[in-house]
Amino acid sequence: MGHAQSLSRPLNLLKHDIRMGETQPLSVVKGGVFRDNCPFRAAQHPVHGLRFVQLADFAGHAATLLDWNKRTNLTRIVSPEGIAVRHFVDSLAVVPLLDGCKTVIDLGSGGGFPGLVLAAMMPESEIVLVDSVRKKVSFLMHLIRARQHQRVVAVHARTTDLAAHPDYRKRFAAVVSRAMADFEETVLA
């Protein structure tokens, strides 16, 4: 991606209304701007108020990502600034929208974005990371163990297969994805 493009890539978010059993589009984050009347408090900018333990978790995540990326292609973004902005800040942008969500699934988690960032920010929530690429799931499992995330699991599966699985269907309060072209088709199917 060139410098002329937005620093924040689209992050799709659907929030599940558990009572109604329906999934409704809640918001799309593009270029760092929240749309669709999100329940978002402006004073809670995602980067403000980070605790040292969260920053240490992010630093460990970034270092491990760069180390693993030498052997296996996890990301094209390898500059410290690029990783900070395009991975961590983008992932932090969705945290205010997930206030109160106890179950979150991250489809196409790749290098752990936004799922592992959400796990650090929302340690009381159950986070499921899904990717169809085995090497990425191995990386995620390594990070889960290394960063001691207690309520996070990584699943090797195609999202289209997972959508039909009874253990995953209509189980999550929120669904997030950064990298799926067919996000709405998969989630709303």
Side-chain angles (χ1 to χ4, degrees):
M1 286 190 175
H3 286 20
Q5 294 180 342
S6 170
L7 291 178
S8 294
R9 295 190 317 210
L11 175 66
N12 297 309
L13 171 71
L14 293 176
K15 189 168 183 180
H16 182 75
D17 185 335
I18 296 170
R19 294 174 312 227
M20 300 301 289
E22 297 175 1
T23 303
Q24 306 260 337
L26 176 66
S27 174
V28 178
V29 179
K30 290 190 179 186
V33 178
F34 291 93
R35 298 189 326 202
D36 300 340
N37 273 337
C38 301
F40 167 74
R41 291 180 287 281
Q44 292 184 331
H45 187 277
V47 179
H48 294 276
L50 289 177
R51 297 188 314 265
F52 178 78
V53 68
Q54 293 162 327
L55 292 171
D57 186 63
F58 298 162
H61 184 164
T64 305
L65 178 73
L66 288 173
D67 182 49
W68 276 58
N69 205 55
K70 293 175 190 171
R71 297 181 300 277
T72 183
N73 183 29
L74 296 169
T75 182
R76 292 181 323 202
I77 302 166
V78 294
S79 73
E81 181 182 295
I83 289 172
V85 173
R86 291 186 173 171
H87 288 318
F88 288 98
V89 173
D90 278 3
S91 296
L92 287 167
V94 76
V95 172
L97 300 174
L98 298 175
D99 187 33
C101 291
K102 296 297 181 195
T103 55
V104 178
I105 188 166
D106 176 9
L107 302 177
S109 193
F113 303 104
L116 287 174
V117 174
L118 298 177
M121 299 300 293
M122 305 163 44
E124 72 289 346
S125 296
E126 175 189 354
I127 312 282
V128 176
L129 312 173
V130 179
D131 207 283
S132 63
V133 180
R134 168 95 41 213
K135 66 183 177 183
K136 292 180 180 180
V137 174
S138 295
F139 170 74
L140 295 171
M141 291 170 63
H142 171 78
L143 266 181
I144 290 167
R145 284 189 304 273
R147 307 309 311 156
Q148 300 178 352
H149 291 295
Q150 302 298 316
R151 299 179 53 86
V152 181
V153 295
V155 177
H156 177 241
R158 293 177 49 93
T159 56
T160 51
D161 296 335
L162 204 61
H165 197 285
D167 289 344
Y168 294 94
R169 188 147 183 86
K170 295 188 179 185
R171 174 180 157 209
F172 299 95
V175 178
V176 294
S177 176
R178 290 182 68 201
M180 284 185 51
D182 61 346
F183 179 77
E184 286 187 29
E185 180 181 312
T186 301
V187 174
L188 296 175

